Amino acid sequence: MQDEPDLLTATSAVLAMNDRGNYTQPAHGLYPHQWLWDSCFIAIGLRHLDVERAKSELLSLLRGQWQNGMLPNIIFRDDPQYRTDRNIWRSWVNPYAPNDATTTGITQPPMLAEAVVQVGAKLAWPERRSWYAIMYPALVRYHEWLYDERDPHHEGLVLQIHPWETGLDNTPPWIAEMHDHQLPFWITAIKATHADKIINLFRRDTKSVPMDERFSTIEALTLFDIQRRLRRKSYDINKILDHSLLTIEDLSFNSIFIRANSHLRQIAASLRQELPRELLTSMERTEKALEGLWDPYSNQYFSRDFVTHRLLKTPTIATLLPLYAGTITKERAAVLVRLLENEQAFGPAFPIPSVPVNSFWYNPRLYWQGPAWVNMNWLIIDGLKRYGYKDHAAALTESTLEMVAKAGSYEYFDPRDGSGAGAANFSWTAALAIDLFKTQKRPSG
Ligand code: GLC
């Protein structure tokens, strides 16, 4: 493994290269805008290099916040060359969209509270209080929006309306649901006539990354179709639910939300603020509702269809995220840790694969269907530590840093040999490697 100066120099250079002033693009070319959970992970790394810059990374997310509280997954750059991206989403069709920023109409996992606390940990108390005071109202509005719009029946779990909202864009349960229920006639016709081969030629993403590491063209078109249908409903959740578009209570999103809620309670307590009663009640409900996702037959958690409550029994990396949520019992945590120890499940040479090795879906270099991702490792390392699995956390930290040191800050990694795949010089990989490195050496963080 590389030594400290080499790894820190290489990863810091990636962040500097992708720095766009007050935010960091995920990767040059493929991801030129500001993404929500990317900026959260990036700030967690940046706090070790420049805490003021880490703060501006998160503050700049607030310029995209909708008046109803939603934080969009992307804030677009306003250069003329990105007009098509902005026009695909047309956030201005919704009256709550901000006037001075163009965004998507969907969100991403609520990592912001975690990032605010991690950045806060680098500040002495008076500065930390001011930092919390700035971010607190935006966080409350965001969490309230998640409950108001995404938990319409007050069941405790929040629903997602596009695979990109999970951040695990190409994850099997969503892709399977899309293929089974969402292919409109025109895409079925393209599939039948193999016209997708021609459309391939016009894809922008496969100019940066090999075709076999990205979604298929049929899937890309279906994602586009789902997005267009959301736009036609002006991103209005009531209209979306009336037309039963794709709606899933995603396991990874809800696990992250549970942890975010606990961070928000901590922030409120440090500020001596009372969170709204209704919000506190909803938060408690979510912790209980997570247990409704447990499948006693296969001994693991799954995502669930919002309308039918059918569990989507395709195991993925989300299976392990209840460790990060931190509210499951020690017994259930132990069951999940055994899956991590199993070479045929989540424990190949360079863990953690985004679907288990013994899955029908497993493909070690395909976007979210096999490769290891540093952000997932970071979340699970955090969960392992809190459940007392210090040795597992240390081993996973070491193998994660080894992948990044050997291959570079790739977007994802082949779990067989740790080689890099997807975009090169990917910001959250660099940022979280910095954090894992620093907190490994200095446990206080
Ligand atoms: C990535 C991920 C998504 C991320 C985005 C920008 O490929 O799937 O979670 O936010 O693209 O980095």
Side-chain angles (χ1 to χ4, degrees), residues 25-27 30-31 33 35-38 41 73-74 108-109 164 166-170 214-215 367-368 373 375 411-412 426-428:
Q25 64 186 4
L30 190 58
Y31 307 120
H33 311 290
W35 263 261
L36 173 56
W37 80 332
D38 293 67
F41 292 125
N73 76 323
I74 305 175
Q108 237 182 359
W164 293 353
T166 71
L168 322 183
D169 299 14
N170 202 27
R214 299 285 296 179
F215 358 63
Y367 195 55
W368 292 113
W373 290 71
N375 67 334
E411 188 180 3
Y412 36 98
F426 189 67
S427 297
W428 85 38

Side-chain angles (χ1 to χ4, degrees), residues 139-140 143-144 147 156 257-258 260-265 275-289 327:
L139 279 170
V140 172
H143 286 224
E144 286 186 323
Y147 283 115
F257 191 33
I258 287 175
N261 280 336
S262 108
H263 283 308
L264 182 53
R265 284 193 299 259
L275 281 167
R277 194 59 265 147
E278 209 180 321
L279 183 57
L280 287 168
T281 311
S282 302
M283 289 176 171
E284 279 169 29
R285 222 184 267 134
T286 309
E287 295 183 9
K288 294 205 185 80
T327 51

Side-chain angles (χ1 to χ4, degrees), residues 225-274:
D225 183 70
I226 295 174
Q227 184 276 325
R228 249 179 19 146
R229 283 189 275 160
L230 295 173
R231 189 184 74 203
R232 257 189 258 131
K233 306 278 169 278
S234 316
Y235 310 110
D236 175 333
I237 196 67
N238 295 318
K239 292 187 193 153
I240 291 167
L241 294 180
D242 280 351
H243 289 78
S244 72
L245 297 176
L246 187 61
T247 45
I248 292 175
E249 293 161 334
D250 183 80
L251 173 59
S252 55
F253 194 108
N254 279 280
S255 298
I256 290 171
F257 191 33
I258 287 175
R259 183 78 183 129
N261 280 336
S262 108
H263 283 308
L264 182 53
R265 284 193 299 259
Q266 184 199 322
I267 295 170
S270 344
L271 289 173
R272 297 184 195 286
Q273 292 275 342
E274 290 267 334

Side-chain angles (χ1 to χ4, degrees), residues 84-105:
T84 317
D85 296 13
R86 295 191 295 269
N87 267 325
I88 286 177
W89 283 93
R90 269 176 243 163
S91 49
W92 52 88
V93 298
N94 186 296
Y96 296 118
N99 292 328
D100 35 17
T102 47
T103 73
T104 61

Side-chain angles (χ1 to χ4, degrees), residues 334-348 389 392:
V335 173
L336 300 184
V337 171
R338 277 203 292 281
L339 291 173
L340 193 53
E341 290 165 344
N342 179 349
E343 279 178 27
Q344 289 310 311
F346 290 107
Y389 292 93
H392 291 71

Side-chain angles (χ1 to χ4, degrees), residues 296-316:
Y297 304 105
S298 59
N299 257 335
Q300 54 188 302
Y301 295 90
F302 290 111
S303 296
R304 182 168 87 179
D305 183 282
F306 166 69
V307 178
T308 63
H309 276 194
R310 172 176 51 97
L311 290 180
L312 307 178
K313 295 192 189 182
T314 308
T316 70

